[in-house]
């Protein structure tokens, strides 16, 4: 039995009964589509023949004389004509039937036929079963782990530099005010006398106009709140957002838990580096350098930040923001 389908005055087919039932089950063919096969005197709604079920089992129907006008009264696109055999092929693929861009036909040896849609496709020998369709196009230098592309080390360094630049911009009014004061930096060099350094810093703050302090505080807290918002919702600081990279969980490759993102990778690291730079800026830069050196030597670009929180830094992809369904 050869079955023809039509929608919006456009015909597709012929199909076998098995193909029709497969397409009904998958939803490619809808109950409101039109159907004709030998034994029917006119086009009919699919649902009328299936009793609005997604399975068609035709009853034995005496075959009347075939009226060619029944299957020929549909729109035929000129490009669908088969000029190779001198005949017009008035059937089109379901791509055309459903108003989708059609796949190019390929008569090469490695072309296979899709039994459910009468479409043709060429198999891609480069497809890997352990990569999702959401994985972005990768270059020869990219490292791929499962369905994610690891962020290049230089992108991570740039993101850190951008975050530092944003912080400097936030405290810029305060820095400009301090440059106008005669600051004795030796007060901050004695690590054992932190109380003296604290008292001296408070004296300096009292010497700065209150309006300047307020502006700096608003900018710093505003930046901090914005960073927390983006990290929580997207796994990206502003620097990572600009460079197109993101923090994901090592196991799920999705957004890490709140504890990992905010507790381990944000607040804890902020406290550690704040203490390091309070003692000496040199020590803080050394620890940052060690982190990126470890990442460059790791197969998965894992530095000590990532070991601490069990995370990866990858190229950002929208699929990473989709939450996995909870197992009931």
């Amino acid at each position: 039995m050869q079955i023809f389908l039509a929608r919006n005055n456009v015909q597709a087919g012929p199909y076998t009964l098995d193909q029709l039932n497969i397409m009904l089950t998958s939803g490619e063919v809808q109950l409101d589509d039109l159907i004709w096969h030998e034994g029917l005197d006119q086009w009919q709604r699919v649902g009328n023949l299936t009793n609005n079920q997604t399975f068609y089992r035709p009853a034995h129907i005496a075959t009347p004389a075939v009226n060619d006008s029944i299957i020929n009264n549909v729109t035929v696109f000129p490009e669908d004509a088969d000029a190779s055999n001198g005949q017009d092929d008035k059937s089109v693929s379901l791509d055309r039937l459903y108003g989708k861009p059609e796949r190019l036909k390929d008569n090469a040896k490695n072309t296979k036929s899709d039994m459910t849609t009468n479409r043709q496709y060429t198999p891609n020998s480069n497809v890997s079963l352990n990569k999702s369709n959401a994985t972005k196009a990768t270059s020869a230098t990219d490292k791929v782990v499962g369905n994610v592309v690891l962020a290049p080390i230089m992108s991570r360094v740039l993101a850190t530099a951008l975050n530092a630049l944003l912080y400097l911009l936030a405290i810029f009014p305060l820095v400009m005010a301090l440059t106008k004061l005669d600051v004795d930096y030796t007060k901050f060099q004695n690590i054992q006398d932190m109380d003296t350094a604290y008292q001296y810093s408070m004296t300096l703050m009292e010497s700065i106009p209150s309006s300047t302090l307020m502006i700096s505080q608003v900018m710093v807290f505003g930046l901090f709140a914005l960073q927390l918002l983006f990290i929580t919702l997207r796994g990206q600081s502003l620097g990572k957002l600009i460079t197109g990279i993101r923090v994901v969980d090592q196991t799920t490759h999705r957004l890490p838990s709140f504890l990992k993102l905010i507790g381990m990778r944000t607040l804890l690291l902020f406290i550690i580096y704040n203490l390091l730079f309070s003692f000496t800026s040199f020590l803080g830069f050394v620890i940052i350098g060690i982190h990126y050196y470890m990442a460059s030597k790791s197969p998965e670009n894992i530095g000590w930040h990532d070991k601490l929180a069990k995370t990866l830094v990858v190229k950002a992809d929208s699929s990473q923001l989709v939450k996995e369904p909870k197992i009931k």
Side-chain angles (χ1 to χ4, degrees), residues 1 11 17 21 32 58 71 88 92 101 105 115 124 128 133 160-161 172 176 200 215 242-243 257 262 280 287 307 322:
M1 175 186 292
Q11 177 185 316
L17 181 59
N21 285 323
D32 287 330
I71 62 173
D88 288 340
V92 295
K105 294 184 178 180
M115 292 300 294
N124 183 358
S128 174
N133 294 330
T160 300
F172 183 74
M176 292 301 297
Y200 183 66
I215 292 173
I242 295 171
T243 54
S257 64
I262 303 302
T280 170
I287 300 302
K307 284 184 176 292
V322 179

Side-chain angles (χ1 to χ4, degrees), residues 30 33 79 99 131 142 154 171 199 234 245 259 275 288 305 325:
Q30 299 177 4
D33 291 339
E79 60 269 30
K131 298 177 185 178
D142 284 330
M154 290 309 300
I171 65 172
Q199 294 296 332
R234 301 183 60 87
I245 60 179
L259 178 61
L275 291 174
I288 292 176
H305 297 176

Side-chain angles (χ1 to χ4, degrees), residues 185-305:
Y185 292 99
T186 59
K187 297 285 188 181
F188 301 99
Q189 294 177 356
N190 188 359
I191 299 177
Q192 296 180 350
D193 193 2
M194 294 299 296
D195 185 62
T196 300
Y198 175 76
Q199 294 296 332
Y200 183 66
S201 64
M202 294 301 297
T203 302
L204 291 176
M205 293 298 104
E206 292 174 357
S207 303
I208 297 175
S210 58
S211 59
T212 302
L213 284 175
M214 182 175 296
I215 292 173
S216 293
Q217 289 174 349
V218 170
M219 292 179 66
V220 169
F221 283 110
L223 175 63
F224 191 66
L226 198 60
Q227 292 278 35
L228 285 178
L229 178 65
F230 276 93
I231 291 172
T232 303
L233 298 180
R234 301 183 60 87
Q236 296 171 295
S237 62
L238 293 177
K240 286 184 172 64
L241 181 66
I242 295 171
T243 54
I245 60 179
R246 170 180 289 122
V247 176
V248 298
D249 188 273
Q250 286 184 10
T251 303
T252 64
H253 295 170
R254 305 287 180 89
L255 282 186
S257 64
F258 182 84
L259 178 61
K260 288 182 179 181
L261 270 178
I262 303 302
M264 305 295 286
R265 281 197 64 102
T266 303
L267 297 181
L268 182 59
L269 290 179
F270 177 79
I271 293 172
I272 291 174
Y273 281 109
N274 190 48
L275 291 174
L276 291 174
F277 279 99
S278 296
F279 290 136
T280 170
S281 298
F282 175 77
L283 183 58
F285 286 117
V286 167
I287 300 302
I288 292 176
I290 291 174
H291 166 67
Y292 286 119
Y293 177 79
M294 289 176 59
S296 66
K297 297 300 181 181
S298 167
E300 297 182 344
N301 290 0
I302 294 177
W304 73 267
H305 297 176

